[in-house]
Amino acid sequence: MSTSKHRMPFGAECQSDGSVCFRLWAPAADQVMLQLIDGDDEHDLRMNTAGDGWLELMTDKARPGMRYAFRVSGEHVDGQQTVPDPASRFQPADVHGPSEIIDPNDFRWPDGEPWRGRPWEEAVCYELHLGTFSPEGTFAGAIKRLDQLADLGVTAVELMPVAAFPGQRNWGYDGVLPFAPDARYGRPEDLKALVQAAHDRGLMILLDVIYNHFGPEGNYLHLYAPQFFNERHQTPWGAAINFDGPDSRAVRDFFIHNALYWLEEYRFDGLRLDAVHAIADDSEPDILTELAETVQDQLGHRRLVHLVLENDGNESRYLTRRPNGMPYWYQAQWNDDFHHAAHVLMTGEQDGYYADYTEEPARLLARCLAEGFAYQADPSPFRDGARRGEPSAGLPPSAFINLLQNHDQIGNRAFGERIASLAFPEAVRALSALMLLAPSPPLLFMGQEFMTETPFLFFCDFGADLADSVTQGRRREFQRFERFADPQAREAIPDPNDPATFQRCRLDWNALDSDARHREWWHFHQQLLRLRQREIVPRLAGMDPEQSRFEAFATNAFQVQWRLGDGAVLTLTANLSDTEHRWDALPLRLAGEALYLEPVGLGDALADRHLPPWAVAWHLASRQQLQESQPRHPQQAGVDGQHHEEAEP
């Protein structure tokens, strides 16, 4: 059996001699006492100053399993305030209670062939919320479904944030103690068991982390370390986390160590950094660059580690590749452009940011497939013409995670509707077939694989002083939408703090067993993912993104073509509308054999030079097939019998 421990310069660190070292950065505190809690007994020990705002204490009076807190006094505190450790490894009594001393070496990882991870080209991501994914809503409950995910064809499980949050239920983005798995889901050893169980099944497991803000309840840093925040930068949550002002070194180290901690101590295969566009940092290198380089330097030589971004700014520079194809910094980014364009095509919705995709949704979707982002320094109508994004055509498809649903896009709707409630099945099937076979890694949100009807609403459990303002603020967010202009209509929006709102979001796995429609959707996804694993994935490594191209030949019809890493050519032909399209000549040649056709009978339609509504055709030509089909003159014969100029990438 083996152990894993990340040594941190703060928190409670168990020593080899049995003592425990406590360290706290509290530059605004006049005095800090360590409170040790052993059952009904409490002991207060004075922390020693160690320079630059640090306090520390080494003591043999502490041991794993004991609880502890810090009693802080200073100019920002009225008298004395008892606070948890900001680097707590576990909070058994929620975020306001004492922390627990955890010795990471107490968890024994099984011996055997060490897990080295999986190449990113193999990624099929599955995002889940632990509290609603299983009936138990725990780490242990999630383990029971891993076999089913592996059988489906998932290769990478992505957990929504697990860092300790206030109350009994939360999406996780209101966490305030980023090193402590929330006690609602289980103990630290339970989360490690989940990671090991995923690896036992050949699954990567990634974790969502938040480095742009702390939640509104349970964050005590302002009392003893207001230097953690920089008033010069303002964010939707107030003063920004201080990554570039005076005293920012300790703050940067706090988050860099957090990333290393999850990757090393818990053996996660990667992290998704939430909403990094909301991180304010004018320094060089910025925190995103320094964090990624530190992870690569310390862990990259041991195993494959994948860092993923959510970045509304479409800053492609963070995804830059080395000459060998590996990333300098970040492996991939969630491609919101893909989602928004696909959503407009499926639903026709035009509110909010969907306004950027209403004029040419199919062309923008095709651009995403061929070049990464739809917005690459292009003016955004939703942003009053401001340019958004950076050029991305030089990046491989593996740098962009495509999705039709995620927690935000469902949960930020007033009633948490899934796509199955908003679009016709034909449209959802077509876009699913497109997403699951495209070279970019696809992402599914829990239950999407069987088209669950369970909503995913915004829910939380704040204290009385915050609960009502959060509920009313949630309802005010929707008053700009026509359907919620009436105050009575807004009152129907579910209360995020109501326990019933959370209960409605529990995934209904019984539907998969009892309803043939749901089973058909599950088998549909499984079929496509098996096809992806067999025919697409082995050809992805080494792709040259400069050889990808797209062509629109009707309002909502287009073709995309990729040269794969082994020299094969993959061609997508799609009609994403409810209108049939005919043509005299396709812009790109349909070389090779049909890999997948949706709907039934599409092969005959292609031969007759037309695409029925919601049609998706995938064709794959191996290098050998391409060589054998080379014409003896400059023109090439297309599938329709017409002649076209050279069209291969």
Side-chain angles (χ1 to χ4, degrees):
M1 307 293 279
S2 60
T3 61
S4 292
K5 177 180 180 178
H6 175 68
R7 294 192 175 277
M8 297 190 293
F10 34 70
E13 290 288 294
C14 296
Q15 308 297 303
S16 57
D17 63 0
S19 62
V20 180
C21 180
F22 297 87
R23 298 194 85 231
L24 176 71
W25 189 57
D30 293 335
Q31 178 178 285
V32 177
M33 302 292 290
L34 172 69
Q35 180 188 49
L36 284 177
I37 305 166
D38 187 7
D40 294 330
D41 296 331
E42 295 184 8
H43 305 280
D44 284 354
L45 304 173
R46 183 165 182 166
M47 300 279 288
N48 304 312
T49 58
D52 297 325
W54 286 95
L55 298 104
E56 65 181 18
L57 177 67
M58 185 84 73
T59 176
D60 58 6
K61 298 182 183 298
R63 65 180 184 277
M66 289 178 62
R67 300 185 183 186
Y68 69 101
F70 298 112
R71 295 189 185 275
V72 178
S73 58
E75 63 174 310
H76 299 284
V77 182
D78 184 11
Q80 192 177 64
Q81 176 78 47
T82 301
V83 300
D85 184 355
S88 166
R89 279 181 163 93
F90 188 49
Q91 289 293 119
D94 207 7
V95 298
H96 301 291
S99 307
E100 180 178 322
I101 301 172
I102 296 291
D103 185 355
N105 290 326
D106 286 346
F107 183 84
R108 301 289 175 167
W109 299 83
D111 286 335
E113 186 68 24
W115 172 260
R116 300 298 184 190
R118 297 183 66 159
W120 184 245
E121 287 81 9
E122 298 178 2
V124 173
C125 303
Y126 186 96
E127 186 193 21
L128 65 87
H129 176 269
L130 278 156
T132 56
F133 176 65
S134 69
E136 301 87 350
T138 61
F139 299 128
I143 291 176
K144 298 177 182 179
R145 290 287 172 181
L146 292 182
D147 286 329
Q148 190 169 13
L149 297 185
D151 188 39
L152 175 67
V154 168
T155 62
V157 175
E158 181 179 324
L159 306 182
M160 287 174 65
V162 302
F165 51 77
Q168 294 299 302
R169 53 198 177 272
N170 197 281
W171 275 16
Y173 299 93
D174 294 312
V176 290
L177 296 170
F179 292 84
D182 195 87
R184 172 64 184 82
Y185 303 142
R187 293 184 55 82
E189 52 267 30
D190 298 322
L191 176 53
K192 293 174 184 178
L194 171 58
V195 173
Q196 182 59 47
H199 292 168
D200 288 343
R201 291 157 176 81
L203 297 170
M204 295 184 280
I205 183 164
L206 287 72
L207 178 66
D208 218 351
V209 292
I210 299 91
Y211 296 157
N212 54 32
H213 78 290
F214 291 92
E217 180 185 336
N219 173 27
Y220 295 95
L221 286 166
H222 60 283
L223 296 177
Y224 55 87
Q227 294 88 336
F228 234 91
F229 305 94
N230 187 346
E231 295 286 347
R232 185 166 62 89
H233 299 300
Q234 291 298 311
T235 75
W237 307 282
I241 292 176
N242 180 22
F243 289 122
D244 62 355
D247 299 311
S248 61
R249 184 67 261 165
V251 180
R252 292 169 78 97
D253 287 344
F254 183 84
F255 288 98
I256 289 172
H257 276 282
N258 184 258
L260 294 169
Y261 164 80
W262 291 118
L263 295 168
E264 187 172 13
E265 194 159 301
Y266 283 81
R267 301 189 179 184
F268 277 99
D269 296 277
L271 305 173
R272 171 193 174 269
L273 278 63
D274 180 69
V276 300
H277 52 270
I279 292 176
D281 184 2
D282 295 332
S283 59
E284 184 64 40
D286 63 16
I287 184 61
L288 292 179
T289 302
E290 183 182 355
L291 185 151
E293 290 179 348
T294 304
V295 167
Q296 291 294 339
D297 289 345
Q298 297 199 20
L299 301 177
H301 62 285
R302 302 186 204 171
R303 57 188 172 92
L304 294 172
V305 173
H306 308 300
L307 299 180
V308 174
L309 295 175
E310 180 195 19
N311 187 354
D312 184 65
N314 282 3
E315 295 167 303
S316 59
R317 63 184 179 273
Y318 291 113
L319 306 173
T320 302
R321 266 34 187 183
R322 301 174 186 271
N324 66 359
M326 297 298 288
Y328 280 102
W329 300 291
Y330 291 87
Q331 186 72 261
Q333 176 177 318
W334 277 20
N335 197 347
D336 283 344
D337 281 353
F338 180 95
H339 170 273
H340 299 344
H343 189 87
V344 169
L345 286 163
M346 288 187 290
T347 68
E349 292 185 346
Q350 301 183 12
D351 283 327
Y353 44 66
Y354 293 131
D356 277 352
Y357 306 84
T358 56
E359 288 192 11
E360 299 180 292
R363 189 192 71 82
L364 293 176
L365 186 71
R367 191 183 195 194
C368 288
L369 290 164
E371 298 182 359
F373 296 134
Y375 278 84
Q376 304 178 31
D378 300 291
S380 161
F382 176 66
R383 295 165 176 80
D384 298 320
R387 293 188 178 275
R388 170 174 171 251
E390 298 172 353
S392 59
L395 292 169
S398 60
F400 306 94
I401 299 174
N402 291 338
L403 58 143
L404 300 181
Q405 300 185 84
N406 64 19
H407 70 275
D408 270 332
Q409 306 305 337
I410 303 171
N412 285 342
R413 303 181 66 86
F415 297 104
E417 305 103 318
R418 304 277 190 141
I419 193 62
S421 302
L422 304 171
F424 291 114
E426 297 84 358
V428 178
R429 281 182 67 93
L431 269 297
S432 296
L434 185 152
M435 178 187 74
L436 295 175
L437 294 181
S440 293
L443 178 139
L444 300 169
F445 184 67
M446 61 176 195
Q448 179 179 342
E449 71 276 20
F450 61 94
M451 287 298 149
T452 181
E453 296 168 2
T454 306
F456 190 73
L457 297 152
F458 176 64
F459 51 79
C460 54
D461 182 25
F462 290 123
D465 54 338
L466 263 179
D468 185 63
S469 62
V470 169
T471 298
Q472 297 308 317
R474 171 73 173 171
R475 290 170 176 166
R476 282 194 301 272
E477 287 178 10
F478 293 97
Q479 66 184 9
R480 60 190 174 88
F481 296 99
E482 184 177 350
R483 64 184 292 204
F484 296 113
D486 185 342
Q488 281 190 313
R490 293 198 296 275
E491 287 299 313
I493 297 173
D495 179 359
N497 288 279
D498 186 345
T501 300
F502 170 75
Q503 292 297 334
R504 288 176 59 192
C505 300
R506 287 191 180 276
L507 202 54
D508 181 13
W509 288 101
N510 291 328
L512 183 56
D513 299 324
S514 61
D515 192 320
R517 292 178 299 113
H518 293 302
R519 289 196 298 275
E520 288 171 4
W521 276 111
W522 194 89
H523 288 297
F524 168 76
H525 282 83
Q526 183 190 53
Q527 174 194 6
L528 286 166
L529 289 176
R530 287 182 174 178
L531 184 60
R532 176 187 184 85
Q533 183 65 32
R534 185 175 68 248
E535 300 292 345
I536 306 297
V537 168
R539 296 179 161 98
L540 293 179
M543 283 185 66
D544 180 0
E546 301 293 343
Q547 297 291 319
S548 302
R549 59 186 297 188
F550 71 97
E551 298 282 352
F553 60 89
T555 302
N556 284 333
F558 60 83
Q559 288 186 289
V560 186
Q561 202 165 74
W562 300 264
R563 175 80 70 174
L564 303 181
D566 67 348
V569 168
L570 181 66
T571 305
L572 165 68
T573 307
N575 172 19
L576 303 180
S577 73
D578 55 10
T579 303
E580 178 181 272
H581 287 297
R582 289 187 173 273
W583 67 84
D584 293 324
L586 285 172
L588 303 177
R589 186 168 72 96
L590 297 183
E593 300 175 355
L595 183 66
Y596 184 84
L597 302 176
E598 175 75 31
V600 174
L602 181 55
D604 292 337
L606 288 172
D608 194 33
R609 296 197 295 271
H610 77 273
L611 282 173
W614 302 109
V616 172
W618 286 100
H619 287 77
L620 180 65
S622 67
R623 177 192 290 270
Q624 181 179 352
Q625 288 173 318
L626 291 169
Q627 291 172 342
E628 292 173 351
S629 66
Q630 286 295 321
R632 298 180 181 178
H633 49 79
Q635 293 182 322
Q636 295 186 342
V639 71
D640 53 11
Q642 302 295 316
H643 289 283
H644 310 282
E645 295 301 317
E646 172 66 45
E648 290 178 24

